[in-house]
Amino acid sequence: MKIGFIGGGHVAQVLAKLFINEGHTVVLTNKHGLEKLKPVIDRLGSQAQAGNLAEVARQDLIVLAVPYKAVFEIDDQFLKGKDVIDATNYFPHRDGDIEELREHQSGTSELVAEHFKGANVVKAFNSIPVADLASLVSSKDSAKKVALPLAGDDSELKKKAAMLISQIGFVPYDVGSLADSNKMQSDTPVFLFIGSEEALSKKING
Ligand SMILES: NC(=O)c1ccc[n+]([C@@H]2O[C@H](COP(=O)([O-])OP(=O)(O)OC[C@H]3O[C@@H](n4cnc5c(N)ncnc54)[C@H](OP(=O)(O)O)[C@@H]3O)[C@@H](O)[C@H]2O)c1
């Protein structure tokens, strides 16, 4: 699959490497100029490129890997009709106070989906520090026991996200609809949790 990353920081770099290892190609973009990504692309190798937002948006699947507030700086028409994995987390101290989130009227990914009109959005890869993902993958046996949550409304896109989770060595765990993605946000017990499918289910469902 051709995978685009909006963001070229920790999350994009670790996931890009894991996806490349499974035969995918990646295009990464950033905020402060593609020159800054040159050493990253050199490290990732020939299956990786840096590109502008338009190039990223041309890929089959787009991963959002920017600080949460940066999502709303991106043109809202940009990802129309695109498959998007939202890996972001909202932290009020970093991203500012957002009333709908403070009052729990919406989940963070629901606001992302509202912003990118016409995009298919699932939430995944947000709940575990990416450094931990990489080290778990390096010992595949322990990764196999770890479940990663995903949530969204589009069943085909959920299958793609689940396939990526499985390919890099984890167990996909379907939390439910995009509205249910609030059960795997940074303000829930699932955040930073590393455990089996059964243990994750208990965390989510009590
Ligand atoms: N770190 C983790 O372990 C982890 C795990 C799961 C989820 N998350 C979440 O994933 C997101 C990214 O985290 P991170 O650790 O990768 O952050 P990071 O290392 O600070 O990287 C953020 C990236 O976003 C880019 N960016 C910022 N604004 C942008 C814009 N308007 N357009 C395009 N690119 C933009 C930055 O570009 P420049 O480099 O040019 O500034 C940078 O490449 C956050 O929401 C975080 O909470 C983090």
Side-chain angles (χ1 to χ4, degrees), residues 47-186:
Q47 281 161 259
Q49 282 178 47
N52 59 25
L53 274 172
E55 284 162 313
V56 168
R58 277 198 288 276
Q59 307 310 300
D60 304 326
L61 179 68
I62 320 300
V63 180
L64 277 176
V66 293
Y68 187 73
K69 66 178 171 199
V71 166
F72 305 95
E73 295 166 3
I74 301 166
D75 185 340
D76 60 4
Q77 301 295 314
F78 218 76
L79 299 178
K80 211 170 219 166
K82 301 300 300 191
D83 284 345
V84 177
I85 294 182
D86 177 18
T88 67
N89 287 305
Y90 168 62
F91 296 109
H93 65 272
R94 181 189 67 187
D95 300 310
D97 181 44
I98 299 177
E99 190 183 344
E100 283 150 289
L101 299 179
R102 182 183 5 104
E103 301 295 333
H104 300 288
Q105 289 158 353
S106 289
T108 62
S109 289
E110 286 179 286
L111 292 192
V112 169
E114 274 175 34
H115 176 72
F116 290 119
K117 295 171 187 64
N120 290 328
V121 178
V122 300
K123 190 170 195 71
F125 299 114
N126 70 299
S127 62
I128 294 183
V130 286
D132 290 352
L133 277 188
S135 60
L136 284 162
V137 164
S138 64
S139 89
K140 283 241 178 199
D141 279 350
S142 48
K144 270 184 207 150
K145 298 184 186 118
V146 173
L148 293 190
L150 75 151
D153 296 333
D154 185 298
S155 59
E156 287 308 307
L157 177 53
K158 278 211 281 199
K159 274 188 210 157
K160 285 185 199 169
M163 180 200 74
L164 287 171
I165 290 171
S166 302
Q167 278 186 338
I168 65 170
F170 296 89
V171 179
Y173 181 88
D174 188 349
V175 171
S177 68
L178 201 62
D180 292 319
S181 69
N182 62 3
K183 297 176 187 163
M184 53 184 277
Q185 292 183 171
S186 55

